[in-house]
Amino acid sequence: MPDKKFFENLSGKGKAIGVLTSGGDAQGMNAAVRAVVRMGIYVEAKVYFIYEGYQGMVDGGENIVEVTWESVSSILQVGGTVIGSARCKAFRTREGRLKAACNLVKCGITNLCVIGGDGSLTGANLFREEWNGLLEELAQNGEIEKGAIKKYAYLNIVGMVGSIDNDFCGTDMTIGTDSALHRIIEVVDAIMTTAQSHQRTFVLEVMGRHCGYLALVSALACGADYVFIPEYPPEEGWEDHMCSRLSENRARKKRLNIIIVAEGAIDCHNQPITSEQVKDLVVQRLGYDTRVTILGHVQRGGTPSAFDRILASRMGVEAVLALLEGTPETPACVVSLSGNQAVRLPLMECVQMTQDVQKAMDGKRFSDAVQLRGRSFENNLNTYKLLSTKRTAADLPKTNFNVAVLNVGAPAAGMNAAVRSAVRIGITEGHKMFAVTDGFEGFSRGLIKEISWGDVGGWTGQGGSILGTKRALPGKYLEKIAEQMRTHNINALLVIGGFEAFDGCLQLFEARPRFEEFCIPICIVPATISNNVPGTDLSIGADTSLNAIVETCDRIKLSASGTKRRVFIIETMGGYCGYLANMGALAAGADAAYIFEEKFDIRELQANVEHLTEKMKTGIQRGLVLRNENSSENYTTDFIYQLYSEEGKGVFDCRKNVLGHMQQGGAPSPFDRNFGTKISAKAVLWLSKKLKECYRRGKGRVFANTEDSVCLLGMRRRNLIFQPVVQLKDETDFVHRIPREQWWLKLRPLMKILAKYKTSYDVSDSGQLEHVLRPKQAEA
């Protein structure tokens, strides 16, 4: 383990940071601006807003303003960008850049944080390369002093990508993409109910002039019948193929069809495919009642999702660290997301790769374009292709394996998407798929039936668990479960659920010496709002729950606008796991979050009250405090509420709110639908591989008794990996049902810094400039 590295020795004293948003706006930009400002001030640097993007930099004057901590209060939940964004022709000329350099030097700004798309970031890099020459020219013209050339010798640039299209190579997600998906899915879910009533076909056009990410992921998240994207145009004769797929789906009693078209969709000859063209085709060929809906700028609007707020906050802090560590030799970098890690990549390598995608599409090298988009895009496309096309019985392989799927634990949004994906991939693999109702308890009672491709149609957008789920562990039903496995000849198990799913499969593994029926491949897919399953950074359902918490916190904060100063104490679910409280606090801009993993006492509670009291004196109107339901036996939500009420008398009043089961319900978020679909597909493909490996021809049956035949599939930092449950046993605190180490605790200081506390922030994972992996390198 490397020594922990903290940023205390990184001082911003004497440095000035300018922050600007440029190009198209995206939800979450304000969260990034807020993080840059507060982190900058925290390290004692001066921070300046540059209003209206590069135009403000060229015009100078009142467009470049030093800001304070309070300047960014209450902007976290606001969509768009509060500092404005504008296209700027002047900055494209050397004359414009000369003016911009002069304006920056006047304020002493030599560190720029640019939030925008690839055009904005390319412009910033050019500006950086020309910086010295620009200063020399300004000194010659007498616009700056000669000493300024040495004093402001180099310009540091760090970029963050704000773009709803997710069209920038090098990052899994750009700021704004998740929020745009939320807008699209809200519309699709609403349209589905009306389409169902009238047996209609809907053609939806979504944004993405050069990138099909929004179209592809929304098609995956709503189970669309057909999707058109620029990177993967349909083959010749697509008209016949699409119409036959639509009519096949109608023949299977499906009452509606959804077709999603990216605005930049093309055919294999690079000719555009429009939503009107698709509609006319459906009407002429099939005679279906068909409507077109163009979503347009709705996708850019609205409040940012919890994911975007957390992503932007993490990136903003990372950007300031990168600026502080910058040297004249450091290339301009962009802060990116890889899996669950914030990474730094050379800006121009990412820009080059993004431009190569367009060149590949122009040259009709579409498979190259898909690869260059990155593994996340490629996985989405491959999963969509597998799930959307039902092969005929003659085309399917026949394996004679029976695979059972069950949900275990409390319901979590996204479970149904995972079941749908598992059933369809299993059928494509040639297996017979069985659905178990009511978890292990239902298994013991024989609630098992075969499930077909059509049975899981329309499941992706449904909340809860359609199969039914129970918390019961298999321990007391082992004999009956073994008997049911014999009766139905079950050869593999896919268990989708929370901590009980992990614990239950561990019990099955440990019972193998007594019951040979359990010697089969078993895979667990983590699904719980608490996100407390060992072996994974994320669980299906946690994102939906986080969005419910953040949305409620936003509303609660608004309820106090116009009244006197008020502090809200909010209790979240999660058992002993503080994930929801901690991440909810980060996404909602809370002042404190009390969790079980970090012990707190009366002195800390007192310090928090005093801290809030001081903040209220600076003009801040509202405070927000989150508490995990099991964070402390004695410091209950009521106790904390009463303490704050008493100590805050005369300065603020208090309200409390227990969010309860609303965190568990509702339609799954786009992230949970997509994550559930992809992780479940990967799990079934692994089971298929294990079934072939463990088939004993002599005995004519499957026999798997090794540790690695009972695995949990989890997201670990950057990758989805299969881990034997036995190995995860040591990493688990079974009493409190949580992993012993949790990655998100590293983000806890980040929440405190953004709430104006002095703290230590471990930056061991930061600071390494990596290189962009191009597909050929990735294969090597």
Side-chain angles (χ1 to χ4, degrees), residues 185 189 192 217-224 383-384 386-388 405-407 411-426 433 451-453 455-468 494-497 525-527 539-541 544 666-684:
I185 293 305
D189 285 353
M192 277 181 152
V217 174
S218 45
L220 199 55
C222 72
T383 309
Y384 177 76
L386 281 170
L387 291 172
S388 59
V405 183
L406 65 156
N407 291 157
M415 273 183 165
N416 299 321
V419 172
R420 169 187 176 266
S421 174
V423 167
R424 291 195 169 179
I425 299 287
M433 299 303 291
I451 189 164
S452 71
W453 182 281
D455 291 341
V456 290
W459 278 30
T460 24
Q462 307 271 337
S465 163
I466 295 171
L467 286 185
L494 179 68
V495 185
I496 301 164
V525 167
S539 302
I540 299 165
T544 305
S669 67
F671 181 91
D672 279 331
R673 297 181 195 201
N674 192 9
F675 185 53
T677 300
K678 285 202 290 190
I679 194 172
S680 194
K682 195 176 173 82
V684 173

Side-chain angles (χ1 to χ4, degrees), residues 101-164:
C102 183
N103 290 325
L104 291 187
V105 168
K106 279 177 189 169
C107 297
I109 298 170
T110 53
N111 296 283
L112 267 190
C113 183
V114 183
I115 306 163
D118 63 336
S120 309
L121 299 179
T122 310
N125 191 61
L126 175 64
F127 190 40
R128 177 180 184 271
E129 285 169 359
E130 291 181 349
W131 182 255
N132 269 89
L134 293 170
L135 292 200
E136 281 168 13
E137 195 175 324
L138 287 168
Q140 276 168 11
N141 299 346
E143 291 181 62
I144 61 169
E145 291 174 14
K146 284 238 173 356
I149 300 175
K150 196 173 179 189
K151 189 177 178 187
Y152 305 117
Y154 67 96
L155 179 70
N156 261 330
I157 300 253
V158 173
M160 284 185 266
V161 192
S163 159
I164 65 163

Side-chain angles (χ1 to χ4, degrees), residues 182-196:
H182 272 259
R183 299 298 93 80
I184 294 168
I185 293 305
E186 281 159 18
V187 171
V188 174
D189 285 353
I191 276 175
M192 277 181 152
T193 53
T194 173
Q196 200 120 24

Side-chain angles (χ1 to χ4, degrees), residues 36 113-114 121 157-162 168-175 311-323 332-338 341-347 350 766 769:
V36 170
C113 183
V114 183
L121 299 179
I157 300 253
V158 173
M160 284 185 266
V161 192
F168 193 80
C169 292
T171 185
D172 287 354
M173 285 291 257
T174 57
I175 296 166
L311 174 69
S313 299
R314 287 177 74 180
M315 284 185 169
V317 168
E318 185 71 27
V320 173
L321 295 176
L323 286 172
C333 78
V334 63
V335 181
S336 300
L337 181 77
S338 176
Q341 289 287 106
V343 294
R344 298 178 199 171
L345 299 168
L347 192 150
C350 297
S766 304
L769 188 68

Side-chain angles (χ1 to χ4, degrees), residues 480-648:
K480 287 180 178 173
I481 291 173
E483 189 186 315
Q484 292 298 336
M485 282 180 137
R486 263 198 317 279
T487 308
H488 294 90
N489 189 25
I490 300 298
N491 309 117
L493 262 190
L494 179 68
V495 185
I496 301 164
F499 195 89
E500 293 87 355
F502 162 71
D503 205 355
C505 291
L506 198 53
Q507 289 183 4
L508 293 181
F509 174 80
E510 286 165 353
R512 276 177 168 180
R514 287 163 40 225
F515 300 98
E516 225 177 62
E517 290 81 1
F518 302 149
C519 294
I520 57 170
I522 300 172
C523 188
I524 304 140
V525 167
T528 166
I529 68 163
S530 305
N531 198 27
N532 63 333
V533 181
T536 187
D537 292 352
L538 298 169
S539 302
I540 299 165
D543 182 71
T544 305
S545 187
L546 213 45
N547 276 294
I549 292 167
V550 169
E551 212 174 292
T552 311
C553 287
D554 286 353
R555 288 184 184 185
I556 285 171
K557 282 203 288 190
L558 275 176
S559 74
S561 62
T563 63
K564 56 185 179 174
R565 296 186 178 99
R566 183 164 284 172
V567 173
F568 294 95
I569 316 289
I570 292 171
E571 184 186 294
T572 66
M573 288 171 95
Y576 285 97
C577 179
Y579 177 83
L580 291 178
N582 190 67
M583 301 307 263
L586 184 56
D591 297 276
Y594 301 116
I595 59 171
F596 171 77
E597 291 88 346
E598 198 173 275
K599 297 287 173 250
F600 57 97
D601 57 19
I602 196 72
R603 286 181 293 280
E604 188 175 335
L605 289 169
Q606 183 63 37
N608 291 156
V609 176
E610 286 165 11
H611 186 264
L612 256 174
T613 309
E614 284 307 306
K615 273 170 87 171
M616 292 286 185
K617 288 174 185 169
T618 64
I620 285 175
Q621 291 286 312
R622 295 182 293 281
L624 191 62
V625 174
L626 270 67
R627 178 190 173 272
N628 161 259
E629 58 184 350
N630 289 344
S631 56
S632 166
E633 206 178 325
N634 298 311
Y635 299 132
T636 61
T637 303
D638 281 333
F639 177 90
I640 292 172
Y641 162 67
Q642 284 161 358
L643 177 80
Y644 272 74
S645 298
E646 184 61 34
E647 297 293 321

Side-chain angles (χ1 to χ4, degrees), residues 38 96 205 287 307 381 454 483 501 518 549 576 652 665 683 695 732:
R38 293 196 165 173
E205 184 180 301
F307 181 94
L381 183 59
E483 189 186 315
F518 302 149
I549 292 167
Y576 285 97
F652 57 78
Y695 185 68
T732 309

Side-chain angles (χ1 to χ4, degrees), residues 426-440:
I427 290 168
T428 306
E429 286 286 295
H431 311 317
K432 255 190 185 177
M433 299 303 291
F434 287 82
V436 180
T437 305
D438 291 347
F440 288 118

